[in-house]
């Protein structure tokens, strides 16, 4: 069963999608463009079916806005007049299919099934890439000759796999009672070599204390109570993960992005 968001201003489209897709066991949400953006901030969807012409904007624009909250969302664009330029633009913006109106049930079901299949294949490929990367990282950890070498391997692996400009590995020093940077990429060494954070201090300290990750995106900064802790103004997004060993949190992994519009 998939969660499907239908965005249109025609009741006939709502009824066609609700009945046809509901009969296959899918959970269908039918909304207008304003409701679509709002609901996507609180609900996660697998697929969006969107009319290209809405009351105040375009379906492509709404899809891009929804994807800020649901980056893996698949999309089907429905239109009465499909031009080659429109189809190319839709595909470039992340849509998998374009369906012509009026909707024919068989055409709709074929498009939905094909899109879900492609989306599942992409997820499988992503999962395989992650597992392969983890396997390779594990092999490098085994070959490491020191604790510091493991930290360096971790910083290298994250920097290469995620392709971000800066990464730092912080480990809690029991003697200093503080988090210290033990490996980093893309940061100025003189700025971090003497950095020490107490548990609960700034973003990394709060992650260490709460044992929960913190994700910050400037694009939706008004929704995040921690954004005032992101002191580097050039950052567009940042994420900090707690690192654990044998059931105990031992440090924090920080990943940062500077490209405008990028979000985690």
């Amino acid at each position: 069963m998939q969660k499907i968001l239908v965005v249109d201003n025609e009741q006939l489209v709502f009824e066609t999608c609700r009945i046809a897709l509901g009969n296959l066991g899918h959970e269908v949400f039918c909304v207008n463009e304003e409701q679509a953006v709002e609901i996507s901030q609180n609900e996660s969807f697998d697929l969006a079916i969107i009319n290209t012409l809405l009351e105040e904007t375009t379906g492509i624009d709404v899809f891009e806005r929804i994807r800020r909250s649901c980056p893996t969302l698949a999309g089907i664009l429905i239109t009465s007049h499909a031009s080659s330029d429109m189809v190319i633009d839709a595909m470039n913006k992340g849509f998998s299919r374009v369906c012509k109106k009026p909707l024919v049930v068989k055409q709709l079901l074929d498009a939905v099934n094909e899109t879900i299949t492609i989306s599942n294949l992409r997820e499988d490929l992503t999962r395989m890439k992650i597992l392969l990367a983890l396997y390779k990282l594990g092999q490098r950890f085994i070959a490491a000759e020191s604790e510091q070498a493991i930290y360096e391997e971790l910083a290298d692996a994250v920097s290469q796999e995620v392709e971000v400009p800066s990464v730092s590995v912080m480990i809690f020093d029991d003697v200093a009672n503080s988090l210290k940077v033990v490996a980093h990429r893309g940061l100025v060494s003189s700025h971090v070599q003497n950095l020490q954070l107490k548990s609960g201090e700034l973003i990394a300290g709060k992650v260490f204390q709460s044992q929960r990750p913190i994700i910050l995106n400037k694009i939706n900064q008004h929704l995040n109570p921690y954004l005032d802790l992101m002191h580097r103004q050039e950052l567009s997004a940042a994420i900090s993960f707690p690192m654990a060993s044998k059931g105990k949190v031992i440090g924090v992994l920080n990943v940062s992005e500077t490209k405008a519009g990028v979000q985690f």
Side-chain angles (χ1 to χ4, degrees):
M1 181 184 74
Q2 305 288 311
K3 288 181 67 174
I4 300 176
L5 185 67
V6 181
V7 186
D8 208 310
N9 46 26
E10 294 184 20
Q11 194 63 34
L12 179 59
V13 172
F14 287 159
E15 292 303 318
T16 300
C17 292
R18 184 181 288 114
I19 295 172
L21 299 176
N23 286 341
L24 295 180
H26 299 304
E27 190 175 2
V28 183
F29 295 74
C30 299
V31 297
N32 60 33
E33 62 261 42
E34 292 183 2
Q35 294 169 326
V37 176
E38 183 178 351
I39 195 173
S40 66
Q41 295 175 351
N42 302 306
E43 296 274 356
S44 179
F45 294 94
D46 302 295
L47 171 65
I49 300 172
I50 307 180
N51 188 359
T52 188
L53 293 178
L54 300 169
E55 290 185 2
E56 297 183 2
T57 185
T58 67
I60 293 177
D61 178 63
V62 170
F63 185 63
E64 288 186 295
R65 291 165 63 190
I66 296 174
R67 269 194 144 190
R68 294 173 185 171
S69 302
C70 305
T72 61
L73 182 70
I76 296 174
L77 188 68
I78 54 177
T79 177
S80 300
H81 307 284
S83 65
S84 58
D85 288 341
M86 176 190 294
V87 172
I88 292 172
D89 188 29
M91 296 302 174
N92 287 337
K93 296 298 173 56
F95 283 94
S96 298
R97 289 286 299 269
V98 175
C99 290
K100 293 192 66 175
K101 297 174 70 176
L103 284 178
V104 177
V105 171
K106 185 180 184 307
Q107 176 194 35
L108 172 66
L109 296 182
D110 286 346
V112 168
N113 289 334
E114 181 180 320
T115 300
I116 291 174
T117 298
I118 293 173
S119 180
N120 289 338
L121 286 172
R122 285 174 178 165
E123 289 184 10
D124 289 341
L125 287 172
T126 300
R127 193 176 298 112
M128 289 175 63
K129 289 180 179 178
I130 291 173
L131 290 174
L132 181 59
L134 289 174
Y135 172 76
K136 291 180 178 179
L137 181 59
Q139 294 297 100
R140 289 157 64 180
F141 281 176
I142 292 172
E145 297 181 353
S146 67
E147 189 174 303
Q148 182 61 40
I150 292 177
Y151 299 147
E152 298 294 342
E153 289 286 3
L154 177 59
D156 274 341
V158 174
S159 180
Q160 293 168 11
E161 293 296 329
V162 186
E163 297 182 351
V164 290
S166 61
V167 173
S168 65
V169 180
M170 303 185 78
I171 296 296
F172 191 78
D173 186 322
D174 291 323
V175 176
N177 195 35
S178 301
L179 286 165
K180 293 183 177 180
V181 177
V182 295
H184 63 86
R185 299 292 180 270
L187 299 174
V188 180
S189 296
S190 60
H191 292 173
V192 298
Q193 62 184 3
N194 296 320
L195 178 65
Q196 296 188 30
L197 296 179
K198 299 292 185 182
S199 177
E201 185 179 3
L202 300 182
I203 295 174
K206 288 186 179 298
V207 168
F208 181 81
Q209 183 182 61
S210 67
Q211 302 183 28
R212 296 172 63 88
I214 289 178
I215 302 174
L216 301 172
N217 292 303
K218 280 192 175 180
I219 202 166
N220 56 4
Q221 56 185 327
H222 62 287
L223 301 175
N224 200 309
Y226 296 110
L227 197 79
D228 59 341
L229 298 176
M230 191 161 69
H231 292 166
R232 292 172 59 195
Q233 296 299 314
E234 74 274 17
L235 298 183
S236 59
I239 183 168
S240 294
F241 299 93
M243 298 189 300
S245 175
K246 298 179 180 179
K248 178 184 177 182
V249 174
I250 61 170
V252 176
L253 175 65
N254 304 298
V255 179
S256 303
E257 180 58 81
T258 56
K259 292 179 182 177
V262 173
Q263 62 177 334
F264 293 140

